[in-house]
Amino acid sequence: MSVEQIHCVKPEQAVLVIEPDLSNWQALSSLLKCYFGLVELARNVEHASALFQRFNFNLCIIELDVVDEFESLFPSANQSVLSETKTTQLRDTNVSSPINATIESAYLTFPQQFIVISQSFKSEDILYAMRKGACDFIAKPIDTVEVNAVISRWLIQHSSEASTSIVDTLALDTQTNSLNSAFSLFIGDSVAIKQVKRTVNIISATGNALLLEGEVGTGKKLAVSQLQQSLCSPSHFMMIDCRAPSELDAKKIDLYCANCSQTTWLVFNHIAELPMNKQVELLIALDSIKLNNYQHVRLVSMSTTRLFSRVQRGEFLVELYYRLAEFIVALPPLKQRPEDIVMLAKFFINRYLMQHNTCRKALLKDYSKWGVSDFQCLTDYDWPGNIQELKNTIEQCFLLNITPKEYLQQLPATPKLIGANQVDIPHSNLGQHYLPIDWDLKCIEKAHILRVIEHYEGNKVLAAEHLGVSRKTVDRKMKEWDLDSL
């Protein structure tokens, strides 16, 4: 991709600038808007931390003097980057398709894609920044030509390694594909979704029939896309909706498999709803596939209910069940992985803002009304429609110009929405935080403020936003209690 092409097609990417000097920010802002869909400024690391809670950033531009302070906010970051080369970092973070690169950026870790900005031209300072993981350097005062060159270099490098389409990726050799398989279309860092990622990655190397079970909106079709992406060659895809029995034609399936020389995916959606007579027909078709030795055929079935329960009730053929369920993956509902909800919400927020570029300024103004309690409200909701419902909720909040808290509270028969004021109380411990009856209001106030600060790991900006007070109020309270060191 050339520099001219970059200017013609604005990438759907976001950049965060951490720069205390407002004049430098103003000089950078107009330049960066030519390249990025979303440009945000943080004048200190606390503000930067708050922005990281709200947005996904593909690139950060950080003042050299605050790199260490900013890095300290991410104790869970992978410290091995300090010993890796810049080339390795770029390869590891951008080897997959653009959607994967966007998804991977959702993780709240110290950014491996950042550029330092400094007034210092000392070689040791530049070397130090590179060892920290910086991929380039911008000198102060801001020079338009230099900034254009630096950002263009980053975008060219980023695009050349990340713009490979899924179809092109499937044609890569086995060695390259093993690197791509490390990237997952699933967003989240919970134990439950990590297990799904790991299992799907293992299954991709086998030819076993796979049964995907999970509620509506948990990502069954996404898992199929993940399996397709993991292949080393192009593939064909045949989706059969078992709610429409007319789509299930044994002769058509056999003919389709016979005429495809590449990997063929037979995906049976809503398999649990297949009538008994069609179950027999499908079993015969699968026997025909086995007899004809179609080694390139992969079977995937999807069900919103536990299929074996239908076998136990005599509503599904046991022979067919064991033919389709050589390997079972249960996709967890969103309520079982609440720690992933903020990450998913940020991803949908970013995508919505980038898709509505013409009114982004107004949308950002509306979005500025969202507080920490709104994100916690999203976390506490049960999400019967799972990820699809979360996506719809984010879009509705923007369209109606209301916060998630307001939106969820006005829903009819909202399932089990926990009060937004209880944001720091785990679901399993709701009954364990009653305060002593002899405490006065001052003691209760102190206990609550300290709990909120602890919940946000000492970040007083986020704690103040959650409490609905100013940062100065929190500092004043801490000083009264002689707890300034917290």
Side-chain angles (χ1 to χ4, degrees), residues 21 28 55 80 110 130 186 213 223 243 267 271 285 304 325 328 380 394 398 402 414 423 474:
D21 191 333
L28 279 171
F55 298 103
S80 63
F110 184 71
M130 295 303 178
F186 288 98
E213 294 182 333
R243 294 172 298 183
V267 183
I271 188 66
T304 56
I328 303 174
D380 291 335
I394 296 298
F398 278 114
I402 59 177
T414 301
V423 301
V474 174

Side-chain angles (χ1 to χ4, degrees), residues 122-175:
K122 296 179 180 178
S123 57
E124 55 266 29
D125 288 339
I126 298 176
L127 182 60
Y128 175 78
M130 295 303 178
R131 285 175 177 170
K132 282 289 185 181
C135 57
D136 217 323
F137 184 88
I138 296 176
K140 296 180 184 178
I142 302 301
D143 179 78
T144 301
V145 175
E146 182 192 6
V147 173
N148 282 330
V150 170
I151 300 301
S152 295
R153 275 199 303 270
W154 181 83
L155 285 171
I156 291 172
Q157 178 69 40
H158 188 75
S159 301
S160 64
E161 298 190 16
S163 62
T164 306
S165 67
I166 289 179
V167 174
D168 292 335
T169 303
L170 297 179
L172 298 177
D173 59 30
T174 306
Q175 183 178 1

Side-chain angles (χ1 to χ4, degrees), residues 250-275:
K251 293 182 179 178
K252 181 180 178 181
I253 292 175
D254 187 59
L255 183 63
Y256 183 80
C257 295
N259 292 333
C260 288
S261 58
Q262 298 172 334
T263 300
T264 302
W265 295 83
L266 294 181
V267 183
F268 303 102
N269 197 11
H270 299 284
I271 188 66
E273 300 182 38
L274 190 66

Side-chain angles (χ1 to χ4, degrees), residues 5-46:
Q5 289 174 312
I6 289 175
H7 280 288
C8 293
V9 183
K10 182 184 294 187
E12 290 191 352
Q13 309 223 20
V15 60
L16 171 65
V17 180
I18 307 175
E19 170 55 61
D21 191 333
L22 190 59
S23 62
N24 287 321
W25 153 250
Q26 292 171 339
L28 279 171
S29 176
S30 58
L31 294 172
L32 294 176
K33 287 178 181 178
C34 297
Y35 297 95
F36 294 90
L38 183 65
V39 180
E40 288 291 323
L41 164 70
R43 298 188 66 179
N44 54 62
V45 294
E46 288 186 332

Side-chain angles (χ1 to χ4, degrees), residues 459-478:
N459 191 320
K460 295 178 185 177
V461 173
L462 295 179
E465 183 178 355
H466 163 70
L467 292 166
V469 298
S470 68
R471 165 65 188 273
K472 290 183 178 180
T473 299
V474 174
D475 288 336
R476 178 172 55 80
K477 292 290 184 182
M478 300 296 286

